[in-house]
Amino acid sequence: MAAPAHRRTDTLKESHWADKRHGRITALCEEEVARTPQIRSLSHYSNGILDFTVFRVPRAPLSSLVTELGDEDESEALPGSRLLLCAQDLGTVLRPLGTGELMRTVVANTRGGLWGGRARPGEFLAAVTDLPDGVPAMDAAMNRLVTRIRTEVHSLPDELPGGDAEAKAHRRGAAEPDGPHVDFGTAAEPDVGYEERLRSLWHTHVNTTDLQYAGYYRDWALVCVGDVFDAHELGPRFIDVSVRTRRTAYRDLSRSLRGHLVRLTDALALVAPPVPGHAPVDRLVLDVQEGAVYVHWTSVGAFLLGVTLDQRQVDHAERGLAALARAVGGIVPPPR
């Protein structure tokens, strides 16, 4: 469903935000919203404090009991404020992995999504779409915007949020000679044929180029996990954090996600209420300075967690995880 072409935009600024000092940032944000109709609103924060919100007029009300009639404009930044708090906590969780700061967060379901990211430490932007097919365009626009603010306003280098579209991806379906290290967890079915089908999928999807780790969970218990962290070419990425430590950290992250997911769901539900019978979140991206962590849900109780350690491959790796998730979803577990 395409966004209505007749919509106009408006900007609500807080009293401390002066055009004389910050007008260039405001103008860049207004320009991006104007040319990206999939963006419902965009908010800018400094050190956790809201500076301004650019929003479309008219727009549907937020799906929340905390907003009141007449304060719709003031409430438009609420999803972004909640996402900011979630991103701060998730950034703290990811920091010990040694892959840099969390710079982009995307959370989405079939009805819409949220984007949050930092232009530099202390400067955070959040965007919202309430269109079922609006997330890709919003994501691309916000990656472009945050890069322009970094390079044109702050004279900082491009951090490649979302990866490099021109980077060469792994050829899907091709297994590498050594293949990934694959283990099975407590939720795996004691069936040799089932395990071999999963192992085969990991060997054709997990690789040294882009998707370098993937774990499959059902009811928050591990079914299957595999990675190529032992590969010779990835050795330099484990100077500070060992392979064993990183494997343990990603399993710990999968367990801690449960608490963060509640808050992420609350933020997303303001603009994209969950569909009954479906997972409230379909996709979560945690894009750090050196790669990304992804979570894709295949059903209410099952998800895959994927990782790349190469920032150029962030987009390609997620496409690989999505393909793996579809393939895993097509394998019916044997009866217990």
Side-chain angles (χ1 to χ4, degrees):
M1 181 175 67
H6 66 275
R7 289 185 177 183
R8 65 179 180 86
T9 66
D10 201 354
T11 304
L12 182 66
K13 302 172 187 175
E14 297 298 311
S15 58
H16 66 273
W17 190 259
D19 284 339
K20 185 176 181 180
R21 295 184 60 194
H22 314 295
R24 178 60 175 153
I25 294 176
T26 309
L28 287 173
C29 292
E30 290 174 335
E31 177 185 326
E32 202 60 66
V33 174
R35 73 174 178 176
T36 311
Q38 292 85 354
I39 297 179
R40 168 193 167 107
S41 63
L42 184 162
S43 299
H44 185 280
Y45 303 83
S46 296
N47 297 314
I49 299 173
L50 175 67
D51 299 315
F52 64 87
T53 302
V54 185
F55 48 83
R56 298 205 171 274
V57 182
R59 63 193 182 281
L62 293 175
S63 302
S64 173
L65 297 177
V66 300
T67 59
E68 297 180 2
L69 188 65
D71 69 349
E72 292 88 354
D73 293 350
E74 291 78 6
S75 300
E76 190 60 38
L78 187 58
S81 298
R82 291 186 176 182
L83 182 61
L84 167 59
L85 295 175
C86 293
Q88 288 174 337
D89 291 344
L90 286 166
T92 301
V93 171
L94 294 171
R95 198 167 293 129
L97 288 167
T99 50
E101 298 297 312
L102 176 61
M103 60 182 187
R104 165 177 164 258
T105 303
V106 181
V107 56
N109 62 22
T110 56
R111 290 179 167 175
L114 308 177
W115 185 102
R118 63 148 180 76
R120 62 174 180 171
E123 184 177 3
F124 187 86
L125 292 95
V128 172
T129 184
D130 53 5
L131 298 175
D133 57 355
V135 174
M138 174 184 69
D139 192 10
M142 293 305 295
N143 292 340
R144 181 171 58 239
L145 172 62
V146 79
T147 297
R148 290 191 67 189
I149 292 175
R150 282 184 61 82
T151 58
E152 297 177 20
V153 178
H154 301 311
S155 300
L156 294 171
D158 182 358
E159 292 186 306
L160 294 178
D164 182 356
E166 297 186 6
K168 186 176 180 180
H170 174 71
R171 185 164 61 87
R172 302 295 165 212
E176 296 185 343
D178 294 333
H181 171 91
V182 180
D183 288 324
F184 294 91
T186 57
E189 304 296 342
D191 182 281
V192 174
Y194 177 67
E195 290 187 353
E196 285 305 311
R197 285 193 292 273
L198 288 178
R199 190 184 300 275
S200 175
L201 289 179
W202 257 250
H203 275 259
T204 53
H205 288 79
V206 178
N207 59 86
T208 56
T209 303
D210 46 43
L211 182 63
Q212 295 152 351
Y213 174 103
Y216 173 38
Y217 293 81
R218 192 184 304 121
D219 297 326
W220 299 97
L222 179 65
V223 177
C224 179
V225 63
D227 66 66
V228 289
F229 290 165
D230 289 320
H232 174 74
E233 53 264 52
L234 295 184
R237 300 189 183 278
F238 296 90
I239 293 175
D240 298 326
V241 180
S242 70
V243 169
R244 181 177 179 181
T245 298
R246 196 175 294 279
R247 284 172 177 157
T248 301
Y250 288 130
R251 293 200 190 191
D252 290 343
L253 176 62
S254 69
R255 288 189 286 267
S256 69
L257 272 176
R258 201 167 191 170
H260 296 290
L261 184 62
V262 173
R263 298 170 65 195
L264 288 167
T265 299
D266 286 344
L268 180 60
L270 291 171
V271 291
V275 177
H278 292 258
V281 174
D282 291 337
R283 169 181 173 238
L284 172 65
V285 180
L286 304 174
D287 190 350
V288 292
Q289 290 172 295
E290 297 179 26
V293 177
Y294 322 91
V295 187
H296 280 219
W297 277 263
T298 59
S299 66
V300 174
F303 66 87
L304 278 84
L305 186 149
V307 174
T308 184
L309 301 176
D310 189 335
Q311 187 57 33
R312 299 168 303 168
Q313 297 287 348
V314 165
D315 180 61
H316 295 320
E318 187 177 10
R319 293 177 187 273
L321 182 70
L324 176 59
R326 289 191 296 270
V328 169
I331 297 180
V332 179
R336 289 183 180 272

